[in-house]
Amino acid sequence: MSTKSATPDTTRAHLLAQARARREWDIAVIGGGATGCGVALDAAARGFSVLLLEAVDFSAGTSSRATKLVHGGVRYLAQGNVALVREALHERATLLANAPHLAQPLAFVMPGYHWWERGFYGIGLKMYDALAGWRSLGDTEFLSSAKTREFLPTVRTNGLCGGVKYWDGQFDDARLAVTLARTAVAQGAVVLNHCPVTALLREDGKVKGVVARDDETGETLKIAAKCVVNATGVWVDDLRNMDRDKGAPDKPDIVAPSQGVHLVVDRAFLPGTHALLVPKTGDGRVLFAVPWLGKTILGTTDTPRDDVVLEPTPFVEEVEFILREAGRYLERAPTRQDVRSVWVGLRPLVKPGDDDGDDTKQLSREHTVLVGHSGLVTVTGGKWTTYRAMAEDVLERCFDRHLLPRIAKGVTARLPLLGASKRKGVSMTQAPGEHLYGSEVALLHALPGATHWLWRDSESGQGSLSEAMVRFAVRHEMARSVEDVLARRSRLLFLDAAEAARQAGAVAAILTDELGPGFDAVASQRRFEALAQQYRTLP
Ligand SMILES: Cc1cc2nc3c(=O)[nH]c(=O)nc-3n(C[C@H](O)[C@H](O)[C@H](O)COP(=O)(O)OP(=O)(O)OC[C@H]3O[C@@H](n4cnc5c(N)ncnc54)[C@H](O)[C@@H]3O)c2cc1C
């Protein structure tokens, strides 16, 4: 069983000491994205002893590369999947309530250029709204052309017949993952980033734990656990293949990755606080232009990929598609020169079918939980918005298979995450700043360099990255490298890759001060600069 604390000690030495000290854990979770962090928090909050191991950093995989929408999935409604939409709308409300500093409502406008579009899409969106019931974030409205232009001042006006406005939510995905990991620690879990699992411990065909490597020291950690959860997103098949007898053939893959590209341009392309949704592009896809943290995100694509890499690169056709379609709906078409950052995420799409004798359960929604003969629990698919419900499903399967005693009900539906504050927050569409720290802002102000700004948002002048924020990232948010800070604690890499590269030296210097002489500042800075170069380079 775990012990809970209000202010979690997340120093690496403390977490490693705990990981070494315990003889056996109730659950070892592999993977620190939305899914793994959600499972760790749910299990720890029920009172189980939990160790989470992440190979790179919390949300370094798909979970920092979402379109940042907390949504019910209008698309599934069009497919008649009412149950799925209703559940996602429920989860949307839960997330907005439990993390108001990181997730907020966002109004979307669908401009119409044909007489029938307003009515056709408007009725569907009214149903979407009705399904949300008392959790609705605002009424769906039919808009005149003038109102559409008011909400989307840069929308193409030629041929505009009006629009429809509806509500969903948006969030900071990477900060939410880090916050979930920290909240799990506050509930008694131990979480370690930069600690890949390299093998599974097996005995008589059953999984009894994992072997992990501390990437900073090379130390091998042997972790015994009653239950092992494989929550590694597009990498689940690698882990499933560690779970086989010597000489046995590879297991068939259950994941078919599909990549999604986002381009980030200045706020001037879409000023205001409304997102633009194109429900059907020239080739039948959906395109979003979303105001986020002082910039505009354009995306996304859906391109199958055979290779699974941490930093996939976009295809030229994907970039051309996004720029071309955005240009059809915005008065000023964005060009390649306008792109401040390009990032690519891999969707873990689950292949239908059974897994070679494993007990599979394709749930009536997008995610899959699968328990192998060995007891290895694999969870993948789904979306960020429903991470909490996915975690509850995983725990249910562990109880059903007697991997864990059914001792308690889940409590995360009403569990505010660290920093959640009742004060009305600054909109997520505005440049990043101290407001993202919610009720922990006093903790931030107590650190050296609270008024020493490394980066101010160029359009608003808002202080967006301070020396104290970098220190906070190390002391409280488990950042261990320049990339951990500039990609996932601050989102500068995703907003403006060239500016992020310019800040790498200053961040490396503060990290040296925080982490001591063992920290290789030069290597960390160089690695990050190479990554930033990738994020600013279009094919
Ligand atoms: C382009 C795109 C846009 C999206 N937009 C949205 C959106 O707007 N809203 C929404 O709700 N959802 C969205 N999604 C879906 C959502 O982002 C994913 O469903 C979710 O992030 C998946 O999380 P995960 O934890 O399963 O996987 P990941 O985030 O990939 O986490 C898996 C983790 O496992 C780690 N790992 C791998 N191997 C090992 C190992 N051996 N040992 C330890 N750790 C390991 C990886 O480093 C990684 O961090 C989007 C997805 C994509 C691709």
Side-chain angles (χ1 to χ4, degrees), residues 30-36 53-57 59-63 65-71 171 195-197 231-235 239 242 258 260-262 300 310 345-348 380-386:
I30 314 170
T35 310
L53 298 156
E54 160 54 46
V56 185
D57 185 25
S59 78
T62 305
S63 295
R65 301 151 198 263
T67 314
K68 332 293 185 205
L69 307 181
V70 190
H71 61 144
F171 71 125
C195 223
V197 165
T232 53
V234 285
W235 291 275
L239 272 292
M242 291 180 190
S258 161
V261 173
H262 295 94
T300 179
L310 187 61
L346 296 179
R347 289 180 194 84
T380 193
K383 58 183 181 196
W384 237 121
T385 307
T386 52

Side-chain angles (χ1 to χ4, degrees), residues 361-378:
K361 185 181 177 192
Q362 182 78 49
L363 300 175
S364 60
R365 54 184 114 163
E366 309 162 275
H367 72 268
T368 286
V369 183
L370 179 155
V371 185
H373 296 308
S374 65
L376 178 69
V377 180
T378 295

Side-chain angles (χ1 to χ4, degrees), residues 60-356:
T62 305
S63 295
S64 54
R65 301 151 198 263
T67 314
K68 332 293 185 205
L69 307 181
V70 190
H71 61 144
V74 183
R75 258 182 305 164
Y76 305 114
L77 195 58
Q79 294 161 6
N81 201 337
V82 173
L84 175 64
V85 176
R86 188 178 280 130
E87 184 193 48
L89 288 170
H90 179 272
E91 289 305 313
R92 181 183 76 175
T94 307
L95 178 52
L96 297 186
N98 288 338
H101 53 316
L102 295 173
Q104 293 164 0
L106 176 69
F108 288 73
V109 173
M110 229 184 249
Y113 294 91
H114 297 104
W115 63 268
W116 53 268
E117 280 179 324
R118 221 166 47 138
F120 180 76
Y121 292 117
I123 288 167
L125 287 164
K126 286 262 181 209
M127 275 172 62
Y128 185 64
D129 207 12
L131 270 182
W134 62 267
R135 298 184 187 92
S136 164
L137 302 174
D139 290 340
T140 295
E141 292 171 54
F142 292 96
L143 305 177
S144 64
S145 303
K147 267 283 173 205
T148 305
R149 277 201 309 274
E150 184 187 321
F151 292 141
L152 299 176
T154 50
V155 74
R156 177 169 62 83
T157 49
N158 188 13
L160 184 70
C161 322
V164 186
K165 172 173 167 173
Y166 76 99
W167 289 84
D168 254 325
Q170 74 174 160
F171 71 125
D172 183 336
D173 49 4
R175 284 198 67 80
L176 183 64
V178 172
T179 303
L180 283 171
R182 295 178 61 224
T183 309
V185 177
Q187 293 291 324
V190 172
V191 302
L192 282 166
N193 52 357
H194 302 285
C195 223
V197 165
T198 53
L200 300 177
L201 292 174
R202 297 172 90 239
E203 230 178 83
D204 302 329
K206 297 285 175 202
V207 171
K208 297 286 181 188
V210 302
V211 181
R213 183 185 63 238
D214 174 0
D215 260 352
E216 294 195 349
T217 60
E219 179 188 351
T220 298
L221 298 165
K222 283 198 174 156
I223 308 293
K226 294 190 183 91
C227 174
V228 176
V229 176
N230 169 16
T232 53
V234 285
W235 291 275
V236 286
D237 290 317
D238 294 349
L239 272 292
R240 288 176 58 253
N241 272 309
M242 291 180 190
D243 180 25
R244 56 188 169 124
D245 297 330
K246 250 201 182 118
D250 275 7
K251 295 189 173 189
D253 288 350
I254 60 165
V255 163
S258 161
Q259 88 172 15
V261 173
H262 295 94
L263 305 180
V264 174
V265 295
D266 282 344
R267 183 77 184 269
F269 284 92
L270 190 73
T273 53
H274 290 64
L276 185 159
L277 167 62
V278 178
K280 207 166 186 182
T281 57
D283 52 1
R285 293 188 250 177
V286 175
L287 187 88
F288 288 102
V290 181
W292 185 70
L293 298 183
K295 294 274 189 270
T296 304
I297 300 176
L298 305 174
T300 179
T301 56
D302 203 345
T303 314
R305 249 200 119 115
D306 292 335
D307 53 335
V308 173
V309 291
L310 187 61
E311 292 295 347
T313 48
F315 297 113
V316 66
E317 307 78 46
E318 295 181 297
V319 172
E320 281 170 1
F321 160 77
I322 295 173
L323 290 176
R324 185 179 62 244
E325 290 298 329
R328 288 180 57 205
Y329 291 89
L330 297 174
E331 280 292 1
R332 189 181 140 210
T335 66
R336 296 168 64 88
Q337 288 67 39
D338 295 313
V339 175
R340 301 252 175 213
S341 183
V342 51
W343 28 278
V344 183
L346 296 179
R347 289 180 194 84
L349 299 183
V350 182
K351 292 178 184 172
D354 204 48
D355 173 51
D356 201 22

